[in-house]
Amino acid sequence: MPVRVDIAKRVHDHTWKLDPIVRTLLDTDFYKLLMGSMIHRLHADVNVTFSLVNRTESVRLADEVDEGELRAQLDHARTLRFGKNELIWLAGNTFYGRTQIFDPDYLAWLADFQLPEYELTRHDGQYELRFEGPWRETSMWEVPALAIITELRSRAAVRGMNRFELDVLYARAKSRLWDKIERLRVLAKEGPLKVGDFGTRRRHSYLWQLWCVEALKEGLGDSLTGTSNVKMAMELGLEAIGTNAHELPMVYAALADSDDELRASPYQVLADWATMYDGNLKVVLPDCFGTTNFLRNAPSWVAGWKGARPDSKPPIEGAEELISYWKAYGEDPMEKSIILSDGMDVDTIEASVRHLRGKTNVLIGWGTNLTNDFRGCAPSGFDGQLKAISLVCKVTEADGRPAVKLSDNVTKASGPNDEVARYRRVFGEEGVVDLPVAV
Amino acid sequence: MPVRVDIAKRVHDHTWKLDPIVRTLLDTDFYKLLMGSMIHRLHADVNVTFSLVNRTESVRLADEVDEGELRAQLDHARTLRFGKNELIWLAGNTFYGRTQIFDPDYLAWLADFQLPEYELTRHDGQYELRFEGPWRETSMWEVPALAIITELRSRAAVRGMNRFELDVLYARAKSRLWDKIERLRVLAKEGPLKVGDFGTRRRHSYLWQLWCVEALKEGLGDSLTGTSNVKMAMELGLEAIGTNAHELPMVYAALADSDDELRASPYQVLADWATMYDGNLKVVLPDCFGTTNFLRNAPSWVAGWKGARPDSKPPIEGAEELISYWKAYGEDPMEKSIILSDGMDVDTIEASVRHLRGKTNVLIGWGTNLTNDFRGCAPSGFDGQLKAISLVCKVTEADGRPAVKLSDNVTKASGPNDEVARYRRVFGEEGVVDLPVAV
């Protein structure tokens, strides 16, 4: 059988120097831009350090991922600038039902933005990767840094595979995802289902995430709420989704000058957010320093917000706590949205949606188990290095002060021990659990 | 993400008139050439009619496959000629360990060969497709005719699927086959395993068969004996495998002028075959008119042949009968090969190989369940038209006389009722079973 050879492609393939992982600055999560716009307006002078943390310590990242390749990808990401068409789209598109959501001043700043410098060292088989500088700049590293390391790890894992083994690997991964989607289609027939892609940071690869999002679009139809990946939302005509993250309360808390200010800081985040956004964008992230105390001490106006994203308790338990909270304030939970995004997969999606339907609006943010589930897919039978790990890029300092996260799960707590102890004393430890973290 | 467009390919795609199913006359089973060479030398003057028979009557082929498309594909196959490089390869290659296996005279005849005319009519939802003419010519239609109809049926089945559904369909089919191959790899670790591709005639498609054969090559290594598809053997550097088929004893029997000649005809086939081929090519096909009587009445030299292909009894039962036969003649079954090729799939391969190892050399001819198993693969959940059917193209007449096949399974018998009755009387009915036929 004569094989058609695409000479240009072949020549391109054997002359390239780098196969970029991050191809545009828009290949990031939407919440980075929403938060970025607020940071730009209110905290342009704050310096924040983000650091890579591999919570799956058994995986020695520095042994699996080549340092030269890592530097080449990070350096490449620093050469990127937002495209003119991308900025026009950000300015002109409707997000969460509203136009002109971004300050023109912020968009003008984005036009000249480049990712700031990074510090990369190795210690005991792990990479120490830090980004120091203005918050509005270093914040932008979180998603590309995680995506780069995760994809380099994938590439290392498949390096020994031949064309055929790769074919089988992806055939199985596609089958695996489609089987999940068919289960979700059944779930959608029973009642309302809303699922969105939150899988950019820990995706197996850019192209694989693209396939996954197209699969959701094809398989779920109106049950797909969108994707957190801004570039893919733009290209595929989907909604860009996501609101805010722990970095906001973590930085506000670190900058607090007293225990009273510390205790008030999570609500100050919300007060500032409300000066920027409205409606469905008013989503509370209640778990940064423990959900139970957050809700108990919250000003009454917090109950009026549109939704919440419990992120570290078991999903049904976290949702029930919020429903009780809203009810206590006379709010109708059916008018609220609860976004579940902590390590969700099809089993927990089914259980949560079936339990919570009719009680509130459940929105699923499906992340790592959507875009990086290759369990049992390697044709060699060995897929150890294809197993997703719990890698995060977190705020560790703000204006020279240590940053802390407690969360509802002690396994997810971060920060220096003495600071963690102080935060626990200030916020309380009610409702905190101890669960293993998979992804 | 910018998509690289291959303009030439796009233009080609939207200007073609026909996507050919049979791309070369070498896209056929090897036994057609081995038999063809014998027919050419000994029976150039015999006229034989081959007819399509759909044994899965519940499937109304003429409703599923468009007549215009069928005619276009059959007409296209008639435009084909053997390529010069293909004839050189047939002349120069080693087959079954021997060079120059084909008469130069036969190869010269092949150089000018084209598929003869066909007759196509419809009756009660089925196609009646007949090939009448010189045996050496009409015989060559069997495999392309079956491959064309089967692939047209596949194409009709996937016609409503979009690009994404097709992606999932083939991902699942690849996963499915690779899961089978992994089971065969386990089987190969336990002891000798020899598996070959016999799936040309009922393949889902040409490209899919190619993938399946490459998968076997990759996954089974030395356990892969080769492929019956001559073109793929040539292209992939594999052994071309296969020996002879029922058309030989069927035509010889039809031409017999008396019951005695009829009774002797299956052995005359073997006597003639032995004038053409030697060694591993001396494989008996014992079931055409019932295996039990065939073995009981066989001249003693038949026991000296290298192997046998039981084709219609349950595989272990058919093999055990042959082993007993050889032992009764003082032949060592470990020096013999038994080729199992009747509807084999991974379950029956495992069972047969585990049972027969150490008793004889088992060779698996894996056909329809290798190259056309799409059960459970359709993303829509509906894969009715992707289910393989029992389609054959059989000898129905030789020099104007009806042809008959009894086989060991009454479900597989063919021919006019009175002739079937006469054959049963002449050959006997010992050991005949009644089993459903899937493929």
Side-chain angles (χ1 to χ4, degrees), chain B residues 364-400:
Chain B
I364 305 295
W366 198 6
T368 313
N369 290 315
L370 166 65
T371 60
N372 200 355
D373 182 2
F374 281 71
R375 286 170 283 187
C377 293
S380 58
F382 176 73
D383 52 11
Q385 285 186 215
L386 285 168
K387 195 160 178 289
I389 59 175
S390 186
L391 192 68
V392 291
C393 184
K394 280 283 170 204
V395 174
T396 46
E397 279 181 38
D399 281 347

Short mmCIF file of all heavy atoms in Angstrom, two decimals, chain B residues 364-400:
data_model
loop_
_atom_site.label_atom_id
_atom_site.label_comp_id
_atom_site.label_asym_id
_atom_site.label_seq_id
_atom_site.Cartn_x
_atom_site.Cartn_y
_atom_site.Cartn_z
N ILE B 364 -3.25 -21.47 14.87
CA ILE B 364 -4.55 -20.81 14.86
C ILE B 364 -4.66 -19.92 13.62
O ILE B 364 -3.79 -19.09 13.37
CB ILE B 364 -4.74 -19.94 16.12
CG1 ILE B 364 -4.53 -20.77 17.39
CG2 ILE B 364 -6.11 -19.26 16.10
CD1 ILE B 364 -5.54 -21.88 17.60
N GLY B 365 -5.73 -20.09 12.86
CA GLY B 365 -6.07 -19.17 11.78
C GLY B 365 -7.20 -18.30 12.29
O GLY B 365 -8.34 -18.71 12.36
N TRP B 366 -6.83 -17.08 12.69
CA TRP B 366 -7.79 -16.20 13.35
C TRP B 366 -8.42 -15.29 12.30
O TRP B 366 -7.71 -14.51 11.67
CB TRP B 366 -7.04 -15.39 14.42
CG TRP B 366 -7.88 -14.75 15.47
CD1 TRP B 366 -9.21 -14.88 15.67
CD2 TRP B 366 -7.40 -13.85 16.48
NE1 TRP B 366 -9.59 -14.14 16.76
CE2 TRP B 366 -8.51 -13.49 17.27
CE3 TRP B 366 -6.15 -13.33 16.80
CZ2 TRP B 366 -8.40 -12.62 18.35
CZ3 TRP B 366 -6.03 -12.46 17.87
CH2 TRP B 366 -7.15 -12.12 18.65
N GLY B 367 -9.71 -15.40 12.13
CA GLY B 367 -10.36 -14.71 11.03
C GLY B 367 -11.26 -13.56 11.44
O GLY B 367 -10.80 -12.51 11.91
N THR B 368 -12.54 -13.78 11.31
CA THR B 368 -13.52 -12.70 11.49
C THR B 368 -13.46 -12.06 12.87
O THR B 368 -13.62 -10.85 13.00
CB THR B 368 -14.93 -13.27 11.24
OG1 THR B 368 -14.90 -14.03 10.03
CG2 THR B 368 -15.94 -12.16 11.10
N ASN B 369 -13.22 -12.87 13.90
CA ASN B 369 -13.18 -12.29 15.24
C ASN B 369 -11.89 -11.53 15.52
O ASN B 369 -11.77 -10.87 16.55
CB ASN B 369 -13.38 -13.38 16.29
CG ASN B 369 -14.80 -13.91 16.28
OD1 ASN B 369 -15.75 -13.15 16.22
ND2 ASN B 369 -14.95 -15.23 16.30
N LEU B 370 -10.94 -11.64 14.58
CA LEU B 370 -9.76 -10.78 14.65
C LEU B 370 -10.04 -9.46 13.94
O LEU B 370 -9.83 -8.39 14.50
CB LEU B 370 -8.56 -11.48 14.00
CG LEU B 370 -7.34 -10.59 13.70
CD1 LEU B 370 -6.72 -10.05 14.99
CD2 LEU B 370 -6.29 -11.35 12.89
N THR B 371 -10.51 -9.54 12.71
CA THR B 371 -10.56 -8.34 11.86
C THR B 371 -11.93 -7.67 11.79
O THR B 371 -12.09 -6.67 11.09
CB THR B 371 -10.13 -8.69 10.40
OG1 THR B 371 -11.05 -9.68 9.89
CG2 THR B 371 -8.72 -9.21 10.36
N ASN B 372 -12.90 -8.24 12.49
CA ASN B 372 -14.22 -7.60 12.44
C ASN B 372 -15.01 -7.81 13.72
O ASN B 372 -16.16 -8.19 13.69
CB ASN B 372 -15.01 -8.13 11.23
CG ASN B 372 -16.15 -7.19 10.84
OD1 ASN B 372 -16.42 -6.20 11.52
ND2 ASN B 372 -16.82 -7.51 9.76
N ASP B 373 -14.37 -7.50 14.83
CA ASP B 373 -15.07 -7.60 16.11
C ASP B 373 -15.28 -6.21 16.67
O ASP B 373 -14.41 -5.64 17.32
CB ASP B 373 -14.27 -8.47 17.08
CG ASP B 373 -15.01 -8.63 18.41
OD1 ASP B 373 -16.14 -8.12 18.53
OD2 ASP B 373 -14.46 -9.27 19.32
N PHE B 374 -16.45 -5.66 16.43
CA PHE B 374 -16.78 -4.31 16.91
C PHE B 374 -17.90 -4.36 17.93
O PHE B 374 -18.58 -3.36 18.16
CB PHE B 374 -17.16 -3.41 15.72
CG PHE B 374 -15.95 -2.90 14.98
CD1 PHE B 374 -15.18 -3.76 14.21
CD2 PHE B 374 -15.57 -1.57 15.09
CE1 PHE B 374 -14.05 -3.30 13.55
CE2 PHE B 374 -14.44 -1.10 14.43
CZ PHE B 374 -13.68 -1.97 13.65
N ARG B 375 -18.07 -5.51 18.56
CA ARG B 375 -19.15 -5.63 19.53
C ARG B 375 -18.95 -4.64 20.69
O ARG B 375 -17.87 -4.59 21.29
CB ARG B 375 -19.21 -7.06 20.08
CG ARG B 375 -19.79 -8.03 19.07
CD ARG B 375 -19.63 -9.46 19.53
NE ARG B 375 -18.25 -9.93 19.33
CZ ARG B 375 -17.86 -11.19 19.52
NH1 ARG B 375 -18.72 -12.10 19.93
NH2 ARG B 375 -16.59 -11.53 19.32
N GLY B 376 -19.97 -3.87 20.97
CA GLY B 376 -19.90 -2.93 22.10
C GLY B 376 -19.04 -1.71 21.82
O GLY B 376 -18.70 -0.96 22.73
N CYS B 377 -18.66 -1.49 20.56
CA CYS B 377 -17.74 -0.38 20.27
C CYS B 377 -18.43 0.90 19.81
O CYS B 377 -17.83 1.97 19.87
CB CYS B 377 -16.73 -0.82 19.22
SG CYS B 377 -15.59 -2.09 19.82
N ALA B 378 -19.65 0.81 19.32
CA ALA B 378 -20.30 2.01 18.79
C ALA B 378 -20.62 2.99 19.92
O ALA B 378 -21.20 2.60 20.93
CB ALA B 378 -21.57 1.64 18.04
N PRO B 379 -20.21 4.26 19.78
CA PRO B 379 -20.46 5.23 20.85
C PRO B 379 -21.94 5.50 21.06
O PRO B 379 -22.36 5.88 22.14
CB PRO B 379 -19.71 6.48 20.38
CG PRO B 379 -19.54 6.30 18.92
CD PRO B 379 -19.49 4.84 18.66
N SER B 380 -22.73 5.29 20.04
CA SER B 380 -24.17 5.51 20.17
C SER B 380 -24.82 4.39 20.96
O SER B 380 -25.97 4.49 21.35
CB SER B 380 -24.80 5.56 18.79
OG SER B 380 -24.53 4.35 18.10
N GLY B 381 -24.07 3.32 21.18
CA GLY B 381 -24.66 2.18 21.86
C GLY B 381 -25.33 1.22 20.89
O GLY B 381 -25.70 0.12 21.25
N PHE B 382 -25.45 1.66 19.62
CA PHE B 382 -26.10 0.80 18.63
C PHE B 382 -25.06 0.30 17.64
O PHE B 382 -24.53 1.06 16.85
CB PHE B 382 -27.17 1.59 17.88
CG PHE B 382 -27.81 0.78 16.78
CD1 PHE B 382 -28.70 -0.24 17.09
CD2 PHE B 382 -27.51 1.02 15.45
CE1 PHE B 382 -29.28 -1.00 16.08
CE2 PHE B 382 -28.09 0.27 14.44
CZ PHE B 382 -28.98 -0.74 14.76
N ASP B 383 -24.74 -0.97 17.72
CA ASP B 383 -23.77 -1.48 16.76
C ASP B 383 -24.29 -2.68 15.98
O ASP B 383 -23.53 -3.53 15.56
CB ASP B 383 -22.43 -1.79 17.44
CG ASP B 383 -22.58 -2.69 18.65
OD1 ASP B 383 -23.67 -3.25 18.85
OD2 ASP B 383 -21.62 -2.83 19.39
N GLY B 384 -25.61 -2.70 15.77
CA GLY B 384 -26.21 -3.82 15.06
C GLY B 384 -25.57 -4.08 13.71
O GLY B 384 -25.19 -5.20 13.39
N GLN B 385 -25.41 -3.01 12.90
CA GLN B 385 -24.88 -3.20 11.56
C GLN B 385 -23.37 -3.40 11.55
O GLN B 385 -22.79 -3.66 10.51
CB GLN B 385 -25.25 -2.01 10.68
CG GLN B 385 -26.72 -2.07 10.28
CD GLN B 385 -27.10 -1.00 9.28
OE1 GLN B 385 -28.20 -0.51 9.33
NE2 GLN B 385 -26.20 -0.66 8.39
N LEU B 386 -22.74 -3.25 12.71
CA LEU B 386 -21.30 -3.51 12.79
C LEU B 386 -21.03 -4.96 13.17
O LEU B 386 -19.89 -5.38 13.24
CB LEU B 386 -20.65 -2.57 13.81
CG LEU B 386 -20.48 -1.14 13.33
CD1 LEU B 386 -20.10 -0.24 14.50
CD2 LEU B 386 -19.42 -1.06 12.25
N LYS B 387 -22.07 -5.70 13.45
CA LYS B 387 -21.89 -7.09 13.86
C LYS B 387 -21.59 -7.92 12.62
O LYS B 387 -22.32 -7.88 11.64
CB LYS B 387 -23.18 -7.58 14.54
CG LYS B 387 -23.02 -8.85 15.32
CD LYS B 387 -24.16 -9.00 16.33
CE LYS B 387 -24.05 -10.31 17.09
NZ LYS B 387 -24.37 -11.49 16.27
N ALA B 388 -20.51 -8.68 12.66
CA ALA B 388 -20.13 -9.49 11.51
C ALA B 388 -21.18 -10.55 11.23
O ALA B 388 -21.85 -11.04 12.14
CB ALA B 388 -18.77 -10.14 11.78
N ILE B 389 -21.32 -10.89 9.96
CA ILE B 389 -22.29 -11.92 9.58
C ILE B 389 -21.56 -13.07 8.89
O ILE B 389 -20.40 -12.95 8.52
CB ILE B 389 -23.39 -11.36 8.66
CG1 ILE B 389 -22.77 -10.78 7.38
CG2 ILE B 389 -24.21 -10.31 9.39
CD1 ILE B 389 -23.80 -10.33 6.37
N SER B 390 -22.28 -14.18 8.76
CA SER B 390 -21.69 -15.36 8.14
C SER B 390 -21.94 -15.32 6.64
O SER B 390 -22.91 -15.88 6.14
CB SER B 390 -22.29 -16.62 8.77
OG SER B 390 -21.63 -17.76 8.28
N LEU B 391 -21.05 -14.63 5.96
CA LEU B 391 -21.18 -14.45 4.52
C LEU B 391 -20.12 -15.30 3.83
O LEU B 391 -18.95 -15.25 4.22
CB LEU B 391 -20.94 -12.96 4.20
CG LEU B 391 -21.28 -12.45 2.82
CD1 LEU B 391 -22.79 -12.48 2.61
CD2 LEU B 391 -20.76 -11.03 2.66
N VAL B 392 -20.52 -16.09 2.87
CA VAL B 392 -19.55 -16.91 2.14
C VAL B 392 -19.77 -16.76 0.63
O VAL B 392 -20.82 -16.30 0.18
CB VAL B 392 -19.65 -18.41 2.53
CG1 VAL B 392 -19.18 -18.63 3.96
CG2 VAL B 392 -21.06 -18.94 2.34
N CYS B 393 -18.75 -17.13 -0.12
CA CYS B 393 -18.85 -17.15 -1.58
C CYS B 393 -18.38 -18.54 -1.99
O CYS B 393 -17.19 -18.85 -1.91
CB CYS B 393 -17.98 -16.05 -2.17
SG CYS B 393 -18.11 -15.90 -3.96
N LYS B 394 -19.35 -19.36 -2.38
CA LYS B 394 -19.09 -20.79 -2.52
C LYS B 394 -19.27 -21.25 -3.95
O LYS B 394 -20.04 -20.65 -4.71
CB LYS B 394 -20.10 -21.57 -1.65
CG LYS B 394 -19.72 -21.60 -0.17
CD LYS B 394 -18.61 -22.62 0.06
CE LYS B 394 -18.03 -22.54 1.47
NZ LYS B 394 -16.67 -23.07 1.54
N VAL B 395 -18.65 -22.37 -4.28
CA VAL B 395 -18.89 -23.04 -5.56
C VAL B 395 -20.33 -23.57 -5.55
O VAL B 395 -20.73 -24.26 -4.61
CB VAL B 395 -17.94 -24.23 -5.74
CG1 VAL B 395 -18.30 -25.02 -7.00
CG2 VAL B 395 -16.50 -23.75 -5.79
N THR B 396 -21.09 -23.22 -6.57
CA THR B 396 -22.45 -23.76 -6.66
C THR B 396 -22.61 -24.68 -7.88
O THR B 396 -23.51 -25.52 -7.89
CB THR B 396 -23.50 -22.63 -6.73
OG1 THR B 396 -23.06 -21.65 -7.67
CG2 THR B 396 -23.67 -21.99 -5.36
N GLU B 397 -21.74 -24.52 -8.87
CA GLU B 397 -21.81 -25.40 -10.04
C GLU B 397 -20.42 -25.61 -10.61
O GLU B 397 -19.57 -24.73 -10.54
CB GLU B 397 -22.65 -24.76 -11.16
CG GLU B 397 -24.14 -24.91 -11.01
CD GLU B 397 -24.87 -24.25 -12.19
OE1 GLU B 397 -24.37 -24.35 -13.33
OE2 GLU B 397 -25.91 -23.63 -11.94
N ALA B 398 -20.23 -26.79 -11.21
CA ALA B 398 -18.98 -27.05 -11.94
C ALA B 398 -19.36 -27.76 -13.23
O ALA B 398 -20.03 -28.80 -13.21
CB ALA B 398 -18.05 -27.92 -11.10
N ASP B 399 -18.98 -27.15 -14.33
CA ASP B 399 -19.38 -27.64 -15.66
C ASP B 399 -20.88 -27.98 -15.70
O ASP B 399 -21.28 -29.04 -16.21
CB ASP B 399 -18.53 -28.86 -16.07
CG ASP B 399 -17.14 -28.44 -16.58
OD1 ASP B 399 -16.95 -27.23 -16.85
OD2 ASP B 399 -16.26 -29.30 -16.71
N GLY B 400 -21.67 -27.11 -15.16
CA GLY B 400 -23.12 -27.27 -15.23
C GLY B 400 -23.72 -28.20 -14.21
O GLY B 400 -24.94 -28.33 -14.12
#
